[in-house]
Amino acid sequence: AGARLDIAKPIADFSLYGSRFHAVLAQGVSAFPLVSIRKHFAARITLKHLEEAGMLSHEQTIWLREQVLARKSILITGATSSGKTTLLRAMLAGLDERVIAIEQTSELMLATPAISLTERISNQEGVGAITLDELVVHALRMRPDRLVVGEVRSKEFQVLLQAINNGHSGTMATLHASSLSQVAERALILGMLAGMSQALTARLFASSVDLIVQLSKTNHLRTIEAVGKPALLDGE
């Protein structure tokens, strides 16, 4: 996979064979080697499939499809393993658009004419890294019909908000947040990481994101917990 995993760097995160791997060596970090594998279904997943699985109601399926077709800027939020990537993938399924998906590791697996760009880590000499925020900038030069960021974590947040404000409608992304009320706080933190003031982050966020879809997971069942609109002004 081109990732380094040895005594000097005993932890690695990489993609291989369509799966996401996280490996830990027993080199002062763990008592024994650890490997975590995250694998998404290779088959196409649609909103109808999620409805049949009990994740969505029929009304939610229709409503989500309408929001995508209306080119709303949508942020899918939730805790780890709440189904954010799965829902995003289903919402994009069937779109005959030039979607450019930007991810840390390839998990959305969108069909053509969609394009996938993935982050690249630096080599053993510490050079050659290509970050998500760089990929967002380059994706904008590729004339996308729709821009998608698999997961917003850091500086790419600022570039993404600016892209939406510049007219790139239909942009979609996921964000880790344990509740809908925590989304505003997470947005402010990401803005600070990107070097923006709290006031600028608040205004950009409120004017850029049309909808927030919060997911939850209870007894292995993933569902939509709440839907909201950003009202993040002056840090409120």
Side-chain angles (χ1 to χ4, degrees):
R4 179 178 178 180
L5 184 67
D6 53 29
I7 295 176
K9 188 178 181 298
I11 301 177
D13 192 11
F14 54 93
S15 291
L16 193 64
Y17 308 127
S19 299
R20 183 172 175 177
F21 284 74
H22 183 266
V24 179
L25 294 181
Q27 303 292 341
V29 179
S30 173
F32 45 83
L34 303 169
V35 177
S36 302
I37 304 173
R38 181 177 179 181
K39 183 174 179 63
H40 288 277
F41 289 112
R44 179 184 171 199
I45 298 176
T46 66
L47 291 175
K48 189 63 177 179
H49 291 143
L50 299 186
E51 179 185 338
E52 293 170 352
M55 182 176 180
L56 306 174
S57 67
H58 182 63
E59 291 75 16
Q60 289 172 333
T61 298
I62 295 174
W63 182 81
L64 284 173
R65 188 176 292 117
E66 289 175 346
Q67 306 315 304
V68 173
L69 294 178
R71 304 191 63 80
K72 299 290 188 180
S73 296
I74 303 173
L75 188 63
I76 302 173
T77 60
T80 302
S81 299
S82 59
K84 298 185 296 298
T85 301
T86 299
L87 179 59
L88 177 58
R89 184 178 169 191
M91 291 170 69
L92 293 169
L95 290 178
D96 187 22
E97 298 179 1
R98 184 180 170 85
V99 177
I100 299 184
I102 298 164
E103 302 176 82
Q104 184 182 38
T105 55
S106 183
E107 294 182 296
L108 291 172
M109 296 179 285
L110 303 177
T112 54
I115 297 170
S116 177
L117 300 177
T118 54
E119 184 180 55
R120 190 176 76 179
I121 61 175
S122 59
N123 61 19
Q124 296 189 27
E125 285 73 41
V127 297
I130 299 177
T131 59
L132 290 182
D133 58 311
E134 291 180 273
L135 289 176
V136 172
V137 172
H138 287 293
L140 294 174
R141 296 170 181 164
M142 298 167 67
R143 301 181 64 84
D145 294 326
R146 192 183 298 263
L147 188 66
V148 173
V149 177
E151 183 180 341
V152 178
R153 297 187 180 196
S154 186
K155 295 183 295 181
E156 64 276 4
F157 182 66
Q158 177 187 17
V159 184
L160 183 67
L161 293 184
Q162 290 174 336
I164 300 173
N165 269 271
N166 288 336
H168 288 274
S169 62
T171 298
M172 301 169 69
T174 74
L175 173 72
H176 274 281
S178 59
S179 65
L180 191 63
S181 60
Q182 192 192 48
V183 174
E185 181 182 352
R186 289 281 292 132
L188 290 174
I189 292 173
L190 289 172
M192 292 175 62
L193 290 174
M196 295 191 295
S197 67
Q198 179 172 314
L200 177 59
T201 301
R203 295 192 179 280
L204 271 178
F205 186 65
S207 63
S208 301
V209 180
D210 295 317
L211 295 168
I212 301 171
V213 179
Q214 176 70 26
L215 302 180
S216 66
K217 179 182 176 182
T218 305
N219 297 326
H220 303 290
L221 180 63
R222 297 168 175 83
T223 57
I224 292 180
E225 178 182 300
V227 175
K229 292 186 177 181
L232 187 63
L233 294 174
D234 300 322
E236 296 182 359

